[in-house]
Each structure stands twice: as C-alpha cells, then as structure tokens.
Amino acid sequence: MAKKLSVVQLKQQANVLKSLEVVEQAAAPLYPDFVGCWFSMEFENFPASLLVRCQFNSEAALAVAQQQKLDLYFQKQIHKQLFKCGILVKDIKKHVVLTTLSPDD
C-alpha cells in the first residue's frame, strides 16, 4: 500500500502539476508534435529528485526538437513556472528531458 502524502507533499505535487500545465498550454500551439509533460519525484528528496519528461509523438519529432534545442526552452519555462510557485530547482538541466516515452512505458 502506498504511503499517504502529507499536506506539504500534496501541495508540492499540485504546484508541480500547475507549473507543467502552464508550460504545456504555452508549448502546444508552438510545437504540434509535443504531447505533454509528466514528472516523477521522491517526496523525501524534493526538489532534487524531480524529473520532468517532455514527450514528443515520434522519434523524428524528438530529433527535430533536440536539433532546435527545445530542451533549453522547456528548461527555462519549467524553471520559471516552478519558481513562481516557490520551488527552486538548482540545476534545471538535470531535471528536464525530452522523450518519446509516455508515463505508461
């Protein structure tokens, strides 16, 4: 059975979700092959354990995104939105990756 999250952990999770939703809404019209963002984290080691995956719909789209340095765009936008929620991630480059994998893969 999963451990019940504390009020603080629930708030952290909600803030990350809210931040990623803002980034997704801004990125969707700009990048048609962008699917969305999803994340994983260990609450005991937050925000150091946060890993955000920005999903693209194919390997070809991912290659184009990497060529266009979209990882930098997503890092900057995610960092900005998390900061607005009071979450400071020291080296955002280590916490954002572009992928074709979905949360179910």
Side-chain angles (χ1 to χ4, degrees), residues 25-90:
Q25 288 170 0
L30 300 174
Y31 309 108
D33 294 320
F34 171 65
V35 176
C37 296
W38 50 283
F39 70 96
S40 59
M41 64 183 179
E42 298 167 17
F43 289 99
E44 299 78 29
N45 193 17
F46 180 80
S49 65
L50 178 65
L51 181 58
V52 177
R53 293 167 184 88
C54 300
Q55 183 182 343
F56 288 81
N57 63 11
S58 68
E59 288 294 334
L62 178 62
V64 169
Q66 289 169 329
Q67 272 183 333
Q68 294 177 343
K69 305 261 187 255
L70 290 189
D71 52 339
L72 299 176
Y73 166 81
F74 283 103
Q75 289 165 4
K76 185 177 179 182
Q77 296 304 315
I78 291 167
H79 187 266
K80 184 169 81 175
Q81 292 305 320
L82 289 173
F83 190 74
K84 284 182 180 179
C85 292
I87 300 169
L88 180 59
V89 179
K90 287 191 176 161

